[in-house]
Amino acid sequence: MATNQPSNSQTSLQKASARLLQYLNEEKLLPPARLPSGRELAMLWGLDFSTLNRSIQHLTAKGILRREGYKIFVAQAPGDFFQLPPIHVICPHAKTFTGATEIAGLYGSRIVPIEWNSHAYRSEVRQLYQNGSEGLMIWTSNTNIPVADLLEKFQMPVVTLGNSFPGCSSVEIDSTLAGEMAVTHLAELKHTEVACFSARELPWNETFTHGYAKACDRLGLKTSATRIITSEIRDLVLGNALADLCRSDPQVTALVVADVGIGKCLLRAMKGKIALPDKMSVIVYGDADEAATTDPPLSIVAQDAYLMGKYAATLLYGHRLRFERTGQFPKPERLRLDPQVIARASTAPPHKPIQAAKKIATSPSVEPKPRLRWPSSLKKRRALVDKIWNSPHPRTTKISAERFAPVDIRPYANRSLSRYNSWLGYVPLHMPKTGPQKIHGVLFDIIRQKENQGHASIVMRSHHAHGPTLGSQVDIPLKAHADAIYFLHGCGWAVDHTPIGAYHLHYMDKTSASLPLIPYGFDPSDAALQEQWRNESNIQDWWFNFTQFNNSRARHLVVAEGGDPEIRELYLYTLEWLNPRPEKLISHLRITSHPDATATLGILAVTLVRPEPMPLDR
């Protein structure tokens, strides 16, 4: 019978993890039993606390333990856990992870979001299989991937999201119905001349446009039924297509758009030329939260990404259990979810043209000012973004400018901000300004990446970020006194409220002080914990779907692409750390991460606050 007794060949982390598993088995602890604190266990077993804390993080990532703040609970009995390895998910929607995680908790398992190279999918799936993956949920537009072959070869259940693959179970939104619902919404507003924009690369292109044409025929909009423009998702191409439509069919008063991204491109093309919804109404299909960030907010036929994740995880675990019992997977199942219409400010009844007799004469030398037809939510949001950037940490209002000392982190930067698949994930981070600038009352020096070999941030190693240039420890020499240290940082894939790393001050006398980095993560299932989590957290995921917060130490700021929240809105945090030993000379700052943690840490700038100068004797 196998035991969890540590062997001499194991690393300190493996020994600590094995000791924890041994303790769970000996005490027969089952969910939801609570463990003693990490410090108590470290003292009990004579282990280093930092090592034991890493082993707790390691077992938390595996789903055996779970944390609520600083409390540690059993999430899954170890013996059962190893029969239920994690489910891996490839999907851009954070709400899909939330739904899938809820089901995984019922099976004592966990959901692990991953990135992968779709051009090397066989080796990617083989690696997941070798690592004991329970299954794969995948959202991809590459319908040429032979998912059924992978399922048969690796005996791994696969559920596709958003679109179906032959021989494979899927959870889809009924995109044909979505196209019909979009047209019906416009028809109820009395629009009779409509056009549809779509793109060939969209997996639901054919079904959505079919639903659009079907609804037009049913409602008697015969000319609109054939008015389907299939284009590339690029600003210039879509702008030209829209201009051509306005010239050839000036009677069109509404657009049905097959994707939020296309809708945003069209809005940029209309800006200053076509007023919404007075001259043109627009309804899109896709994610409700993303469509709410535009000006005006886009009406939408919404996908429920949360339910997709929940149903997909239910299918996967059902397939896995069936295979364990019978040696065969069940027949593929295809679930279709009904979309939902959410009416917003981008759709309204068609505007009645102003009669020529009522035209107001103006002087040829004076151009009339455009009249605003609706309150500009974008203008208000821009003003709020500026206010957020300029809202200082309270202590900084009493610190003179010469006391701020930005730390030069350029030699340690290892990733770009502006390229895709850099920074913390797929999407780049477009900082509006670089160089010295004040954020939350702190003078930071943000790296100009063109002057630093294309590198503008320090990204730490994690489960998602593990390139050859990424490490789990970075030491930055300081050799200075400081009253406080401020960090400009962010993180990605922060689904859990558990430590992802730490900042450490090492003093010249060989002593040190540490500050764990704890993201807020997804909202707790118990609403009563929200305030506690806000107070405990000092960083949060940069993606727009995550709850953002402020507390006495950490403040969030909005990073809008090109300064325009309509395009994309992401988040960073500034963190204030008061030096616990300001009288000591600091040798260096050490940044550490947990390589097994799901979340990825990224640092853009660090600033010291020098001690206040002593007054000169007269």
Side-chain angles (χ1 to χ4, degrees):
M1 180 176 176
T3 68
N4 292 312
Q5 294 285 350
S7 67
N8 294 331
S9 63
Q10 290 177 310
T11 65
S12 57
L13 174 60
Q14 289 172 327
K15 290 179 181 179
S17 299
R19 186 67 186 86
L20 269 171
L21 292 173
Q22 180 184 349
Y23 175 76
L24 296 180
N25 288 328
E26 289 175 349
E27 299 296 325
K28 295 182 172 57
L29 295 179
L30 298 173
R34 182 180 172 184
L35 277 68
S37 71
R39 291 193 182 277
E40 291 174 330
L41 292 174
M43 291 178 63
L44 178 65
W45 300 332
L47 297 175
D48 178 67
F49 170 67
S50 62
T51 302
L52 184 66
N53 196 44
R54 285 179 60 206
S55 70
I56 292 171
Q57 172 71 25
H58 179 69
L59 296 182
T60 299
K62 286 182 171 295
I64 297 174
L65 302 179
R66 65 179 176 88
R67 275 183 135 143
E68 291 184 5
Y70 293 101
K71 298 176 183 177
I72 308 167
F73 298 89
V74 179
Q76 176 67 40
D80 295 337
F81 170 80
F82 290 113
Q83 296 174 12
L84 291 169
I87 293 291
H88 290 86
V89 181
I90 302 165
C91 181
H93 300 300
K95 286 187 286 189
T96 301
F97 300 129
T98 306
T101 300
E102 181 176 326
I103 299 302
L106 301 176
Y107 289 86
S109 187
R110 64 189 175 104
I111 297 297
V112 180
I114 60 171
E115 302 176 40
W116 82 333
N117 179 1
S118 61
H119 299 293
Y121 55 84
R122 291 187 184 278
S123 61
E124 296 278 3
V125 173
R126 183 182 296 108
Q127 184 174 355
L128 293 180
Y129 174 75
Q130 292 170 347
N131 291 338
S133 177
E134 186 69 17
L136 178 65
M137 291 164 53
I138 176 172
W139 181 297
T140 177
S141 58
N142 185 0
T143 54
N144 294 321
I145 296 177
V147 177
D149 294 346
L150 298 177
L151 186 151
E152 182 177 354
K153 181 176 181 180
F154 297 106
Q155 296 184 342
M156 178 190 298
V158 181
V159 173
T160 61
L161 301 166
N163 52 307
S164 61
F165 291 74
C168 187
S169 293
S170 62
V171 180
E172 312 161 42
I173 301 292
D174 191 338
S175 51
T176 300
L177 179 60
E180 294 182 62
M181 293 172 73
V183 176
T184 302
H185 172 68
L186 295 174
E188 290 173 350
L189 294 173
K190 309 302 181 185
H191 289 277
T192 57
E193 296 292 338
V194 184
C196 176
F197 276 81
S198 187
R200 291 183 183 87
E201 59 260 45
L202 296 176
W204 53 83
N205 170 49
E206 293 183 7
T207 52
F208 183 85
T209 53
H210 172 71
Y212 164 85
K214 181 179 177 182
C216 287
D217 287 334
R218 175 171 53 82
L219 296 168
L221 310 179
K222 301 299 182 183
T223 55
S224 297
T226 58
R227 200 179 283 131
I228 299 174
I229 298 107
T230 304
S231 175
E232 297 177 44
I233 308 179
R234 290 167 47 199
D235 281 18
L236 180 61
V237 176
L238 284 165
N240 290 337
L242 178 63
D244 292 341
L245 174 68
C246 292
R247 281 193 295 268
S248 61
D249 298 275
Q251 72 277 19
V252 171
T253 59
L255 302 179
V256 171
V257 183
D259 178 71
V260 178
I262 298 176
K264 288 186 173 183
C265 290
L266 291 173
L267 257 61
R268 290 193 285 272
M270 295 179 190
K271 202 167 187 177
K273 302 172 185 177
I274 303 174
L276 267 71
D278 286 352
K279 298 296 183 183
M280 188 75 74
S281 286
V282 176
I283 182 169
V284 299
Y285 171 55
D287 181 73
D289 290 342
E290 186 181 3
T293 63
T294 61
D295 182 31
L298 287 168
S299 294
I300 187 162
V301 184
Q303 305 168 337
D304 194 330
Y306 171 81
L307 278 182
M308 288 181 71
K310 194 171 180 178
Y311 290 155
T314 301
L315 281 177
L316 272 173
Y317 284 111
H319 290 0
R320 184 75 259 173
L321 291 173
R322 172 72 178 274
F323 183 83
E324 289 176 356
R325 291 169 185 165
T326 67
Q328 293 182 336
F329 288 113
K331 292 182 179 179
E333 299 178 60
R334 190 175 180 184
L335 300 182
R336 283 191 175 182
L337 307 181
D338 289 343
Q340 176 188 6
V341 173
I342 302 175
R344 293 176 176 150
S346 69
T347 52
H351 181 68
K352 295 180 180 179
I354 300 174
Q355 296 180 2
K358 295 183 179 181
K359 187 176 180 180
I360 301 174
T362 58
S363 168
S365 60
V366 180
E367 185 161 341
K369 293 182 179 180
R371 180 183 173 189
L372 292 177
R373 300 295 184 182
W374 64 86
S376 178
S377 60
L378 179 58
K379 185 176 181 181
K380 292 179 181 178
R381 183 58 180 162
R382 282 176 175 166
L384 180 58
V385 167
D386 291 339
K387 183 178 179 180
I388 291 171
W389 272 66
N390 296 319
S391 178
H393 287 274
R395 287 183 179 83
T396 63
T397 60
K398 301 176 182 179
I399 300 173
S400 57
E402 60 271 13
R403 292 179 61 196
F404 289 111
V407 177
D408 185 7
I409 65 169
R410 288 175 299 177
Y412 312 96
N414 52 15
R415 272 200 174 180
S416 166
L417 294 181
S418 62
R419 293 196 297 268
Y420 280 83
N421 293 315
S422 60
W423 180 225
L424 299 177
Y426 304 116
V427 181
L429 178 71
H430 293 280
M431 291 296 292
K433 295 179 182 178
T434 55
Q437 57 180 297
K438 263 201 169 184
I439 304 172
H440 293 164
V442 181
L443 179 64
F444 288 108
D445 189 3
I446 298 176
I447 298 172
R448 295 184 175 96
Q449 64 182 29
K450 290 183 179 179
E451 301 172 6
N452 196 46
Q453 299 180 336
H455 297 152
S457 63
I458 301 173
V459 175
M460 305 297 293
R461 180 176 290 271
S462 73
H463 175 81
H464 285 286
H466 41 74
T469 63
L470 307 186
S472 57
Q473 178 178 307
V474 175
D475 287 347
I476 302 174
L478 296 180
K479 292 185 171 53
H481 285 92
D483 286 347
I485 303 181
Y486 289 90
F487 300 88
L488 176 61
H489 60 189
C491 63
W493 307 98
V495 296
D496 297 319
H497 181 63
T498 55
I500 63 172
Y503 295 136
H504 312 266
L505 290 179
H506 287 257
Y507 302 98
M508 296 298 288
D509 65 358
K510 307 300 182 182
T511 60
S512 63
S514 299
L515 178 67
L517 296 174
I518 305 174
Y520 181 86
F522 285 152
D523 287 317
S525 55
D526 184 354
L529 290 173
Q530 290 181 2
E531 189 62 29
Q532 176 188 333
W533 283 23
R534 288 193 187 99
N535 293 331
E536 293 172 344
S537 304
N538 49 27
I539 196 171
Q540 175 60 323
D541 197 286
W542 71 314
W543 204 242
F544 63 86
N545 279 351
F546 284 75
T547 300
Q548 306 301 322
F549 70 94
N550 293 317
N551 60 29
S552 60
R553 298 162 296 137
R555 306 178 74 88
H556 79 275
L557 67 144
V558 181
V559 180
E561 185 173 331
D564 190 347
E566 181 181 349
I567 301 176
R568 183 180 290 115
E569 191 172 290
L570 302 168
Y571 303 94
L572 295 174
Y573 276 73
T574 60
L575 172 62
E576 177 186 73
W577 185 16
L578 301 181
N579 185 0
R581 296 159 193 166
E583 74 282 0
K584 294 187 176 184
L585 184 66
I586 303 171
S587 167
H588 60 276
L589 168 68
R590 174 168 292 173
I591 306 170
T592 59
S593 67
H594 299 312
D596 295 328
T598 303
T600 303
L601 170 66
I603 301 98
L604 280 81
V606 180
T607 293
L608 303 181
V609 176
R610 297 190 184 99
E612 194 166 0
M614 298 292 291
L616 297 175
D617 294 333
R618 294 186 177 180

